[in-house]
Amino acid sequence: MTPLLRVEQVRAALPGGRPVLRGVDLAVAAGEVHGLVGESGGGKTMLARAVAGVLPEGVRVTAGRIGFAGQDVLALPPRSRRALLGHSIAMILQNPSAALNPVLRVERQLAEVLRAQGRSRAEARDTALDWLERVQIRDPARVLGQYPHELSGGMCQRIVIAMAFACQPQLIIADEPTTALDVTVQLEVLRLIRQLQRESGVAVLFVTHDLGVVAKLCDRMSVLFAGRVLECGSVAEVFARPAHAYTAALLAAMPRYDEPERGLHPVPTALVEQLWADTAEADRAAAA
Amino acid sequence: MTASTVLRRLLQALPTLFGVVLIIFVLLRVVPGDPISMMVTGESTPDDIARLRRAYGLDQPIPMQFALYLAALARGDFGTSITMKQDVLGLVLQRLPATLELALCAFVLATTTGMLAGLAAVRWRRHWPEAAVEGASAVALAIPEFLWALILVLALSVALPLFPSSGRVDPVVATAFHTQFYLLESLVTLQPHLAAELLSHLALPALALAIPLAAIIARVLRTALLEAMRQDYMLLAQVKGLSPNAALLRHALPNALIPTVTVAGVQVVLLLGGTVLVELIFAYPGLGNMLYRAAVNRDLPVIQGVTMVFSVLFVLLNLAVDLSYALLDPRIRQA
């Protein structure tokens, strides 16, 4: 069976030519929740944005293929590629307060998604109310008329989540959706995403640096380092038998609240340095 | 912002206006030049001069003159013009509509072209429209409005006789109006030929005033739009599948208008000041022109009256700018 999303040997570079993705392979099946983990600067967000086709200005995909629902999206003209967004692919961003437009009411921002699906104004309002209830917002009618600065970060993120699911997409890319939230709110938001995902059966590419979140939420996972996937497999498998030394070190570095006497075990510097040295070697080989 | 806030702002403006009156009054009396010496001929005797000084109250000490002036102002009496022998308030109100129409035309011209240019520069970023807007606005800003006035006269009135170079309206048709708001009246009474005639006279002075303002608006809007484009909500707008045009107009523009109004608001006040020289160059019968003549003739009551009206306009404009913030930014509206 062909996966919903298949990323093959994708390379991307910053404006100066510095590589950020160095031949990434990734496959996400329909309905699967796929965790994408790795340290900061490893290319997680770049990969997520490459898949959605919304890379920052100047960053280019230089090689590889991104297949989505049987189409080669990199070969699509910009208009068709844009047509995927809001219909087949949706995104949840890291900072919910910044993701909502400060000068527009919640209703307008939520309705924008619904109107794009051809709903009338009145239908869009009803559906928007319905979605706010589904993301467990109290007093949804009042919230619709409010501006983002009147809402808490958790509420803003619920609204962004509502927008993503309201598109009824096949794939949702969640880029660290809980990182900017309070710990207590994080858990609620994760449960909400999991619940909505189960109800809709949408595939989720969940970008995070928190392995605890991966363990709770994901079916499969990929470990990204320096723009390459080091390891990929089911969450249970990878947690039980990590194949790569870096994955093992990441797992060992997870703080355990149930065993406080164990202490903290950061990823060994020597290992990270060795991996970066290998990366530099590979870059030189690729350039030659 | 509620009605009570507006009222409070208007009351707060009263001390400002008092300050303006005081400064203008004192300045006019300490600078050299005396209205009486402009009036008398060689045959006047010292007695004649003394009589004239008494007649205009200029023989009193300055604090006394000021007190009398304030008392008259409170009664709505702005004094009598020394050179024109007419009531100052009447003179000012007769000229004000011409200046307001000129300033409004310049404002509309500047905001529309400035906004379109700013939007075009961002929409076609890194292509020729951005370079064209950057270049044109740099040139537009480097040249002050009175020089633009002269350039426009040379180019569009002398070299290419497209527009009249002076006046407000052809004297033949001027008798047709019942109010001083010629343009407004011609539009309201549906007389397009009159409106066209008025606009042809307004074109060059309005353009001279509008060019630098349009350039500032284009530049500020462009910077503000680029700033907005970097925000997460623009990424989300993209992810929602909005076209670049829709994202720019619906999401970036409402945010970018806030800093643009801040900067442009100050500039609009300066535009009003710019009318003085531009009206003079185009022999446009507005307040600025009258102020210039009054200054040359040391017609103190007229100078005081016109500056007073300009000050009131500044206060009202600043209030309008503050009100428009509240309209544009919900965070301010609820603060």
Side-chain angles (χ1 to χ4, degrees):
Chain A
M1 190 195 121
T2 44
L4 175 68
L5 172 72
R6 184 191 281 281
V7 175
E8 288 169 288
Q9 283 301 305
V10 163
R11 292 175 175 274
L14 296 176
R18 207 172 75 82
V20 281
L21 298 179
R22 296 175 165 90
V24 173
D25 290 303
L26 185 78
V28 179
E32 167 186 324
V33 179
H34 193 106
L36 188 60
V37 298
E39 59 186 39
S40 304
K44 303 188 298 286
T45 294
M46 286 300 169
L47 178 57
R49 289 181 66 166
V51 169
V54 289
L55 280 168
E57 209 177 329
V59 182
R60 303 231 171 286
V61 173
T62 50
R65 191 178 168 282
I66 298 176
F68 177 78
Q71 303 181 78
D72 180 3
V73 294
L74 292 178
L76 287 176
R79 192 177 289 268
S80 319
R81 184 123 202 234
R82 211 162 54 226
L84 286 178
L85 296 170
H87 291 101
S88 306
I89 300 179
M91 207 164 167
I92 302 170
L93 304 182
Q94 179 172 345
N95 186 344
S97 313
L100 292 176
N101 194 324
V103 303
L104 302 180
R105 288 179 203 279
V106 169
E107 175 170 5
R108 170 111 182 257
Q109 304 193 46
L110 194 48
E112 208 163 39
V113 176
L114 302 164
R115 299 266 290 157
Q117 299 173 333
R119 284 193 174 83
S120 75
R121 202 174 289 270
E123 276 175 333
R125 191 185 155 82
D126 288 344
T127 318
L129 273 175
D130 189 39
W131 270 107
L132 288 190
E133 269 169 33
R134 291 183 69 178
V135 295
Q136 294 151 23
I137 282 181
R138 275 186 297 274
D139 202 352
R142 194 171 63 95
V143 171
L144 273 190
Q146 286 185 309
Y147 291 94
H149 73 273
E150 301 172 271
L151 306 170
S152 69
M155 279 176 66
C156 288
Q157 193 63 304
R158 285 165 194 273
I159 291 164
V160 174
I161 290 168
M163 284 182 194
F165 280 93
C167 296
Q168 295 173 308
Q170 292 167 276
L171 174 70
I172 290 179
I173 300 164
D175 186 3
E176 307 235 13
T178 57
T179 309
L181 302 175
D182 280 340
V183 181
T184 47
V185 183
Q186 277 186 14
L187 196 63
E188 293 172 26
V189 167
L190 284 177
R191 283 200 187 122
L192 179 66
I193 292 177
R194 184 69 190 167
Q195 183 197 333
L196 291 172
Q197 188 274 332
R198 284 202 180 117
E199 286 168 16
S200 60
V202 62
V204 175
L205 180 61
F206 198 100
V207 177
T208 181
H209 59 253
D210 188 341
L211 284 167
V213 169
V214 173
K216 280 196 208 69
L217 195 70
C218 300
D219 308 314
R220 289 165 54 78
M221 64 185 284
S222 295
V223 181
L224 202 64
F225 182 91
R228 270 182 308 146
V229 171
L230 297 184
E231 176 163 8
C232 173
S234 83
V235 171
E237 239 172 70
V238 173
F239 270 64
R241 285 177 298 279
H244 197 283
Y246 179 71
T247 316
L250 276 185
L251 288 170
M254 278 175 76
R256 298 287 298 262
Y257 304 111
D258 47 344
E259 299 170 32
E261 67 281 3
R262 200 172 145 266
L264 291 172
H265 299 271
V267 176
T269 319
L271 172 62
V272 175
E273 276 173 0
Q274 180 58 46
L275 282 169
W276 275 113
D278 293 350
T279 306
E281 179 82 10
D283 282 352
R284 273 194 297 277
Chain B
M1 223 182 268
T2 55
S4 71
T5 328
V6 174
L7 196 68
R8 201 180 65 232
R9 286 290 308 271
L10 287 175
L11 287 176
Q12 280 169 350
L14 286 178
T16 314
L17 292 179
F18 177 80
V20 170
V21 173
L22 179 65
I23 290 168
I24 294 294
F25 194 91
V26 173
L27 268 185
L28 287 176
R29 277 154 185 82
V30 292
V31 294
D34 174 356
I36 304 302
S37 61
M38 307 295 292
M39 294 167 77
V40 296
T41 57
E43 292 146 29
S44 309
T45 64
D47 274 354
D48 294 336
I49 293 174
R51 207 173 46 250
L52 276 170
R53 293 186 69 85
R54 215 170 21 253
Y56 288 100
L58 296 170
D59 56 339
Q60 309 269 2
I62 290 180
M64 189 63 191
Q65 286 185 38
F66 187 61
L68 288 173
Y69 179 63
L70 280 185
L73 270 188
R75 291 193 306 270
D77 177 7
F78 280 64
T80 306
S81 160
I82 295 174
T83 48
M84 290 174 275
K85 317 276 190 249
Q86 277 173 296
D87 176 44
V88 169
L89 188 61
L91 283 171
V92 167
L93 290 183
Q94 200 194 351
R95 291 290 192 104
L96 179 63
T99 297
L100 286 183
E101 283 190 347
L102 172 60
L104 194 68
C105 281
F107 174 73
V108 171
L109 202 60
T111 40
T112 41
T113 46
M115 299 244 305
L116 288 176
L119 282 169
V122 173
R123 178 62 186 87
W124 293 285
R125 190 136 188 255
R126 301 185 200 292
H127 293 281
W128 66 265
E130 186 180 34
V133 167
E134 283 292 276
S137 65
V139 174
L141 273 177
I143 300 175
E145 56 253 289
F146 65 87
L147 259 186
W148 275 119
L150 297 173
I151 293 168
L152 289 170
V153 169
L154 276 178
L156 298 178
S157 194
V158 177
L160 271 176
L162 294 174
F163 298 102
S165 65
S166 71
R168 186 182 183 197
V169 68
D170 189 330
V172 180
V173 297
T175 50
F177 296 104
H178 298 91
T179 65
Q180 291 297 320
F181 288 96
Y182 290 178
L183 184 60
L184 191 71
E185 189 184 329
S186 69
L187 291 173
V188 170
T189 58
L190 301 175
Q191 302 186 74
H193 60 288
L194 277 182
E197 151 72 17
L198 284 160
L199 284 174
S200 78
H201 277 88
L202 267 176
L204 295 188
L207 208 53
L209 286 169
I211 288 173
L213 181 59
I216 289 173
I217 292 174
R219 296 198 139 214
V220 178
L221 184 64
R222 173 180 162 272
T223 317
L225 282 171
L226 290 179
E227 172 64 29
M229 305 281 268
R230 281 195 290 274
Q231 305 302 315
D232 275 3
Y233 57 78
M234 287 303 286
L235 174 61
L236 202 67
Q238 244 184 311
V239 172
K240 283 176 180 177
L242 292 187
S243 71
N245 286 338
L248 184 67
L249 293 177
R250 285 192 230 151
H251 284 270
L253 183 61
N255 282 284
L257 279 181
I258 299 165
T260 310
V261 166
T262 311
V263 177
V266 178
Q267 296 298 324
V268 171
V269 173
L270 293 181
L271 176 142
L272 215 49
T275 57
V276 176
L277 280 177
V278 169
E279 283 184 7
L280 187 66
I281 290 166
F282 289 97
Y284 185 86
L287 273 186
N289 216 333
M290 188 160 80
L291 179 62
Y292 173 79
R293 304 269 168 238
V296 169
N297 294 322
R298 303 288 187 274
D299 194 339
L300 304 184
V302 174
I303 301 176
Q304 287 160 9
V306 177
T307 32
M308 189 71 184
V309 168
F310 271 125
S311 318
V312 171
L313 286 178
F314 287 177
V315 167
L316 292 179
L317 264 176
N318 279 321
L319 184 62
V321 169
D322 286 354
L323 287 176
S324 65
Y325 286 148
L327 214 61
L328 291 170
D329 194 339
R331 287 160 293 190
I332 292 177
R333 206 178 311 155
Q334 284 146 3

